[in-house]
Amino acid sequence: EIVLTQSPGTLSLSPGERATLSCRASQSVSSNYLAWYQQKPGQAPRLLIFGASSRATGIPDRFSGSGSGTDFTLTISRLEPEDFAVYYCQQYGSSLYTFGQGTKLEIK
Amino acid sequence: QVHLVQSGAEVMKPGASVKVSCKTYGYTFTGYFIYWVRQAPGQGLEWVGWINPNSGGTNYAQKFQGRVTMTRDTSISTAYMELSRLRSDDTAVYYCARDYSSSFGYWGQGTLVTVSS
């Protein structure tokens, strides 16, 4: 089973700043099968990025994904107040899915 | 417009079984996998398994094998997840989600299952 480790656990930034979230895999992940989600309290997660770098429908272009192999990054170019939430990475391989433990993005 | 609507909250006794439904709207039900994901209070996301609504084929996370059963009723575009031999650590919000390029693109609202004596 591929283990995903996200860092940092908590990221404290101000609106307008740039956020960089990391997701590291214990084994190589096909770039086609790495996704990022945003979750706000009391809500279901929302798909942001699939295939490591493709934005899902309706996702603003301030969100971008990159990476390959074992290292992946979610970047939010200029934080808006609504972006403060928990972010999860997720991978698919050999018919199995795993999530990272999450990064909490909080207002500084 | 794709929409997934789950059944309501449940309170169960330890050792019992619970069955959660996920009714889908706005697309061809048999065309996309349905996934189940759970989230314990204050914790992260955990994949439970998937069902192929076309064939009925399933795949479960090893942790849940032997206790989880996923089924579907194509006549009403609804998927089900049944979890048996419930324990207190099964207390969680259970989500269904529809496939989107091997990711979870559309989510239900979640069903809180509380296991308590």
Side-chain angles (χ1 to χ4, degrees):
Chain A
E1 175 184 306
I2 296 178
V3 176
L4 299 179
T5 302
Q6 293 185 239
S7 61
T10 302
L11 185 57
S12 300
L13 294 170
S14 301
E17 291 192 293
R18 180 184 186 91
T20 303
L21 286 66
S22 173
C23 177
R24 179 162 290 178
S26 59
Q27 305 171 42
S28 184
V29 174
S30 166
S31 294
N32 287 344
Y33 301 131
L34 192 288
W36 290 92
Y37 302 84
Q38 176 193 70
Q39 187 179 33
K40 297 179 180 179
Q43 296 184 16
R46 177 174 72 146
L47 176 65
L48 300 174
I49 301 289
F50 67 97
S53 60
S54 297
R55 272 187 301 277
T57 304
I59 301 303
D61 61 7
R62 64 179 182 273
F63 290 91
S64 63
S66 63
S68 63
T70 60
D71 288 293
F72 297 88
T73 300
L74 174 70
T75 301
I76 311 171
S77 59
R78 287 181 57 86
L79 286 165
E80 298 286 344
E82 64 267 27
D83 298 337
F84 292 91
V86 179
Y87 292 83
Y88 295 94
C89 59
Q90 168 254 315
Q91 70 83 34
Y92 161 68
S94 303
S95 298
L96 303 176
Y97 293 79
T98 53
F99 288 93
Q101 82 280 15
T103 289
K104 182 179 181 181
L105 178 56
E106 64 176 24
I107 300 177
K108 187 174 183 179
Chain B
Q1 184 178 356
V2 177
H3 207 44
L4 285 71
V5 179
Q6 299 182 222
S7 48
E10 303 268 14
V11 180
M12 311 301 296
K13 300 284 189 191
S17 297
V18 68
K19 191 170 186 177
V20 180
S21 68
C22 174
K23 185 168 177 59
T24 69
Y25 301 87
Y27 72 96
T28 301
F29 177 65
T30 52
Y32 300 86
F33 281 27
I34 293 288
Y35 305 98
W36 291 89
V37 175
R38 79 176 187 181
Q39 186 170 38
Q43 302 301 308
L45 302 171
E46 182 175 31
W47 174 68
V48 179
W50 57 251
I51 182 167
N52 178 345
N54 187 42
S55 65
T58 56
N59 192 31
Y60 307 136
Q62 187 171 12
K63 175 178 181 177
F64 301 100
Q65 286 185 8
R67 284 207 304 140
V68 70
T69 304
M70 295 179 186
T71 56
R72 89 294 191 212
D73 184 338
T74 57
S75 69
I76 55 171
S77 300
T78 300
Y80 302 91
M81 183 211 64
E82 184 171 19
L83 189 61
S84 63
R85 302 194 301 278
L86 290 167
R87 307 184 294 252
S88 57
D89 62 358
D90 291 318
T91 293
V93 175
Y94 289 77
Y95 294 101
C96 62
R98 200 208 82 172
D99 179 75
Y100 188 102
S101 296
S102 296
S103 59
F104 309 144
Y106 302 91
W107 294 68
Q109 83 276 19
T111 296
L112 175 62
V113 175
T114 303
V115 183
S116 174
S117 55

